[in-house]
Amino acid sequence: MVVKPKVRGFICTTAHPKGCMAYVKKQINYIKSKQKFNCPKKVLVIGCSTGYGLASRIACAFGGDASTIGVMFEHPCSGKRTATAGWYNTAAFEKFAQKQGLYAKTINGDAFSSDVKQQTIDIIKSDLDKVDMVIYSLAAPRRTMSDGTTVSSVLKTVGKQYTNKTIDLKDNTVSEITIHSATPQEIEDTIKVMGGEDWKDWISALKNANAIEDDAITVAYSYIGPELTFPIYAEGTIGMAKKHLLQTSNEITKEFDNIKAYVSVNKALVTQSSAAIPIVPLYITILYKVMKEKSLHEGCIEQMYRLFGKNLALKPNLDAKGRIRLDDYELRPDVQEKVTLAWNKIKSDNVNEFADIKGYWNEFYEMFGFGLPNVDYNEDVEI
Ligand code: NAD
């Protein structure tokens, strides 16, 4: 079947199998162009199929020769519906890993469930005995709790409502949006979904099953961003969850022998999750323009090479709160000064002057396997 992109809101409902393969290959080639590094060799990646988790898996496997077990929540194709991008990415990753003689297995299911935790432990015990690194890169809209109830995360402010600019990427219009404040229940639910509770549950489950090395490391991802996004991010519901994540990293380090837990604060990037946050995509398009002009732009794979190849492979460079900071270029004063100037001036009729709309869309389409070089998009492909 000939597969074309079908964009609905901030998501593309189709994915191109050959394009996703090219997308994964591009990231592998980037890692292979860098010097090999020393990283843990038996790595579990929770949320391994897209965005930061996929890039982490590629970096550890192809840069550090790691065996990897991945956990994801993706759909295979059904009838004329293509599989999700993460499903094709993972099929491609496993194929390239196998070719390179690298162990790679993936569990497709709900990472929050005890069933998927047990399936993962069974595979670890039979194939690797123990893991020595756990990467927690989940970005989920909801979580089904052990009692069967489901809680959802929301992207709202905490306290006062907030009005600022946003972009409608369908037609590049800049308008104002008001983000309403969350109820106490919504804040609590967002922390349940995106905070650290499930991360710690994973470490406990692995520890109880003797499936994690005593001196293992574990890392989860966070974001801070500039002041203009504070009300919707760092000080909003998602920010509350990220505070909980940081608190959990301290608890894990304290409670589990020699296991060391890190939070890495990453750069704002186009991913399936960040595209859903109001205000943030406009900030990202402006940030991309400024960072590209200053030759500072990085994608997920460049960030993850810095994390595993430069930071965790050596001695991690931590800030005063004990976090790894990969958002250092993004938050450089000269970058943020230019972003603020552009933010104040941007409106519908000058978006291209101040924002990298084309760059945003290129990365957006690439996430679903579209717009990659050397892929024939008019060709019939097996989905
Ligand atoms: P993403 O949407 O690209 O990836 C999410 C991953 O989680 C996918 O592999 C998906 O299959 C998996 N997943 C979702 N629900 C699941 C479930 N119930 N069970 C199993 N797997 C599930 O997201 P991303 O942007 O790469 O985000 C990963 C982490 O990085 C998040 O914690 C996010 O907050 C953080 N982060 C993102 C940015 C950004 O700008 N994108 C910046 C800094 C930090």
Side-chain angles (χ1 to χ4, degrees):
M1 158 180 145
V2 175
V3 183
K4 299 281 174 196
K6 276 192 199 141
V7 179
R8 300 263 179 283
F10 48 77
I11 204 82
C12 180
T13 59
T14 53
H16 198 282
K18 286 201 174 168
C20 288
M21 186 177 272
Y23 175 64
V24 168
K25 186 82 178 92
K26 189 174 149 183
Q27 296 190 52
I28 293 174
N29 287 347
Y30 172 81
I31 290 297
K32 283 187 164 176
S33 75
K34 300 283 166 192
Q35 225 180 359
K36 281 261 170 119
F37 51 84
N38 196 13
C39 80
K41 295 286 180 271
K42 295 176 291 176
V43 180
L44 170 63
V45 189
I46 302 159
C48 67
S49 54
T50 55
Y52 275 119
L54 173 65
S56 306
R57 191 177 195 183
I58 292 172
C60 295
F62 291 89
D65 292 327
S67 298
T68 59
I69 293 179
V71 179
M72 64 178 189
F73 204 25
E74 302 290 348
H75 295 288
C77 69
S78 80
K80 282 193 165 266
R81 275 181 73 132
T82 68
T84 51
W87 198 93
Y88 290 136
N89 290 341
T90 302
F93 172 85
E94 287 188 355
K95 197 174 150 198
F96 290 125
Q98 208 178 20
K99 226 169 151 185
Q100 185 94 4
L102 291 164
Y103 172 97
K105 275 193 189 169
T106 311
I107 296 117
N108 190 12
D110 183 5
F112 293 117
S113 70
S114 46
D115 182 39
V116 163
K117 289 185 177 76
Q118 191 54 51
Q119 276 183 52
T120 309
I121 286 167
D122 291 344
I123 292 179
I124 295 172
K125 294 306 293 174
S126 87
D127 295 359
L128 305 176
D129 187 34
K130 290 178 186 181
V131 288
D132 50 6
M133 179 155 71
V134 178
I135 298 163
Y136 191 82
S137 187
L138 274 201
R142 64 191 71 83
R143 168 179 178 187
T144 299
M145 309 298 294
S146 52
D147 64 2
T149 55
T150 298
V151 292
S152 295
S153 67
V154 297
L155 292 159
K156 290 190 177 178
T157 62
V158 170
K160 281 194 303 219
Q161 64 178 36
Y162 181 60
T163 301
N164 210 326
K165 291 177 183 175
T166 195
I167 189 164
D168 184 340
L169 286 157
K170 271 203 306 288
D171 53 11
N172 297 338
T173 49
V174 177
S175 59
E176 281 210 327
I177 187 170
T178 297
I179 318 291
H180 295 286
S181 60
T183 62
Q185 187 63 52
E186 286 175 322
I187 299 169
E188 199 183 302
D189 289 353
T190 305
I191 294 172
K192 280 256 173 265
V193 182
M194 289 298 288
E197 190 178 66
D198 181 62
W199 182 22
K200 193 169 166 188
D201 285 352
W202 269 97
I203 303 299
S204 294
L206 291 165
K207 191 82 195 159
N208 291 339
N210 205 16
I212 186 166
E213 298 287 358
D214 286 341
D215 58 353
I217 61 174
T218 181
V219 60
Y221 301 139
S222 187
Y223 181 67
I224 298 174
E227 262 179 56
L228 81 92
T229 63
F230 277 5
I232 180 65
Y233 203 100
E235 290 166 1
T237 46
I238 180 76
M240 297 303 113
K242 294 299 184 190
K243 276 192 186 120
H244 187 266
L245 194 76
L246 182 62
Q247 198 183 307
T248 308
S249 71
N250 295 328
E251 286 172 20
I252 293 174
T253 300
K254 217 151 111 203
E255 290 172 29
F256 297 92
D257 298 337
N258 292 322
I259 293 179
K260 178 85 188 97
Y262 295 100
V263 163
S264 171
V265 182
N266 301 344
K267 175 194 188 225
L269 277 174
V270 186
T271 65
Q272 295 191 35
S273 303
S274 67
I277 310 174
I279 298 175
V280 169
L282 179 61
Y283 166 72
I284 290 181
T285 57
I286 296 175
L287 180 74
Y288 273 24
K289 184 155 178 96
V290 174
M291 292 189 79
K292 282 179 187 175
E293 278 168 8
K294 290 181 179 286
S295 303
L296 291 174
H297 182 66
E298 294 171 299
C300 289
I301 197 66
E302 288 84 357
Q303 283 261 298
M304 292 302 97
Y305 172 68
R306 267 219 277 156
L307 177 61
F308 296 103
K310 298 260 180 224
N311 234 294
L312 288 173
L314 308 162
K315 196 177 171 314
N317 207 353
L318 306 176
D319 72 5
K321 289 190 175 168
R323 301 168 296 196
I324 297 170
R325 301 298 295 266
L326 299 178
D327 60 345
D328 46 353
Y329 301 157
E330 172 180 352
L331 293 187
R332 244 170 57 171
D334 60 319
V335 170
Q336 286 303 322
E337 243 166 63
K338 276 202 96 171
V339 169
T340 308
L341 280 176
W343 185 270
N344 292 337
K345 288 189 182 156
I346 201 163
K347 42 190 171 57
S348 300
D349 57 15
N350 64 14
V351 272
N352 285 306
E353 190 184 332
F354 293 109
D356 181 19
I357 306 289
K358 198 165 160 264
Y360 184 97
W361 277 113
N362 285 348
E363 285 192 16
F364 179 89
Y365 280 117
E366 277 198 352
M367 286 193 303
F368 300 94
F370 296 105
L372 284 122
N374 306 321
V375 178
D376 179 359
Y377 290 101
N378 294 314
E379 180 196 41
D380 255 328
V381 284
E382 190 69 56
I383 61 163

